[in-house]
């Protein structure tokens, strides 16, 4: 399973209603996309929830690399590139994914926390700690799901969680969720991924 995200940082005076309208009119287009576990259409607004920027930053969990590649080389991503330019696309290999107690609720917010894995950290033990962290997050009130993934090129861990309320408490960047496309969410592998 792969996690993927790109961030489109917009000017401070950008009308974020444009992003809301874009998602309202186009978000449903991935509601049945093959290979897609879920796509959370995320947005941050400057001055809200501590955000220093206006940003559109969708987060994906892919069940298959074919699905991810089909999206990146297809018309959906091409439309985004035409409108905003080609963003850097970050991707991580998933270590663990857990569904939370509020799994059936519609997400209102997400938290993403990235952390560099210190040099000389024993990787097997650290990976197990990350798996436990995902399970701990998923058990919290209001948690819809929690995922932890690794970028082994930069040795960075990313924690991503979806919440059923608009102001979750947690460390990291808080995003509003405008829409959730989840055609193959039920097929996302749960728990430890190795």
């Amino acid at each position: 399973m792969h996690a993927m995200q790109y961030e489109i940082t917009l000017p401070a005076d950008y009308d974020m209603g444009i992003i809301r309208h874009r998602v309202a009119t186009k978000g449903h287009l991935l509601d049945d996309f093959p290979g897609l576990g879920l796509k959370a259409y995320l947005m941050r607004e400057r001055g809200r929830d501590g955000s220093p920027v206006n940003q559109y930053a969708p987060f994906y969990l892919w069940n298959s690399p074919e699905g991810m590649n089909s999206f990146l080389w297809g018309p959906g991503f091409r439309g985004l590139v035409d409108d905003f330019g080609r963003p850097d696309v970050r991707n991580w290999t998933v270590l663990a994914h857990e569904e939370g107690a509020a799994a059936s609720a519609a997400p209102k917010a997400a938290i993403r926390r990235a952390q560099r894995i210190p040099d000389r950290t024993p990787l097997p033990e650290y990976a197990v700690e990350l798996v436990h962290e995902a399970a701990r997050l998923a058990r919290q009130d209001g948690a819809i799901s929690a995922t932890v993934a690794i970028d082994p090129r930069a040795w960075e861990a990313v924690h991503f969680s979806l919440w059923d309320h608009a102001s979750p408490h947690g460390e990291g960047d808080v995003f509003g969720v405008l829409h959730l496309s989840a055609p193959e969410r039920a097929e996302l592998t749960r728990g430890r991924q190795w």
Side-chain angles (χ1 to χ4, degrees):
M1 190 160 65
H2 296 279
M4 182 180 94
Q5 186 176 37
Y6 47 86
E7 299 171 333
I8 299 169
T9 302
L10 301 158
D13 62 350
Y14 190 84
D15 177 3
M16 295 304 281
I18 295 168
I19 299 299
R20 286 185 185 86
H21 181 263
R22 178 186 189 89
V23 173
T25 58
K26 297 181 179 189
H28 71 279
L29 297 175
L30 292 186
D31 286 353
D32 60 358
F33 197 87
L36 178 62
L38 66 82
K39 175 182 180 179
Y41 294 77
L42 306 180
M43 183 179 83
R44 294 197 296 167
E45 290 187 81
R46 187 170 183 242
R48 288 194 181 173
D49 293 315
S51 178
V53 296
N54 286 328
Q55 194 172 67
Y56 176 54
F59 189 92
Y60 303 74
L61 289 177
W62 294 99
N63 277 322
S64 73
E66 294 86 4
M68 182 172 66
N69 290 337
S70 181
F71 172 75
L72 287 172
W73 316 137
F77 190 68
R78 184 176 356 154
L80 178 110
V81 170
D82 290 347
D83 291 346
F84 297 104
R86 186 173 61 202
D88 290 337
V89 179
R90 300 178 68 199
N91 71 65
W92 303 267
T93 184
V94 173
L95 289 183
H97 173 74
E98 298 288 351
E99 292 290 307
S104 62
K108 293 188 172 56
I111 299 177
R112 183 203 58 209
R113 177 171 53 100
Q115 65 188 77
R116 181 117 170 94
I117 301 170
D119 293 340
R120 299 187 184 179
T121 299
L123 294 176
E125 292 86 350
Y126 189 72
V128 170
E129 287 177 29
L130 293 173
V131 169
H132 291 309
E133 173 67 9
R136 185 192 67 74
L137 276 173
R139 288 192 302 271
Q140 291 186 14
D141 286 341
I144 292 172
S145 68
T147 304
V148 65
I150 295 284
D151 172 358
R153 181 183 174 275
W155 292 111
E156 176 189 64
V158 66
H159 303 260
F160 180 77
S161 52
L162 291 170
W163 300 87
D164 71 354
H165 50 281
S167 297
H169 298 288
E171 189 180 333
D173 297 323
V174 177
F175 297 86
V177 179
L178 302 176
H179 180 71
L180 184 72
S181 291
E184 295 182 11
R185 182 175 170 192
E187 286 82 43
L188 289 172
T189 303
R190 295 182 184 167
R192 182 174 156 162
Q193 306 285 312
W194 79 95

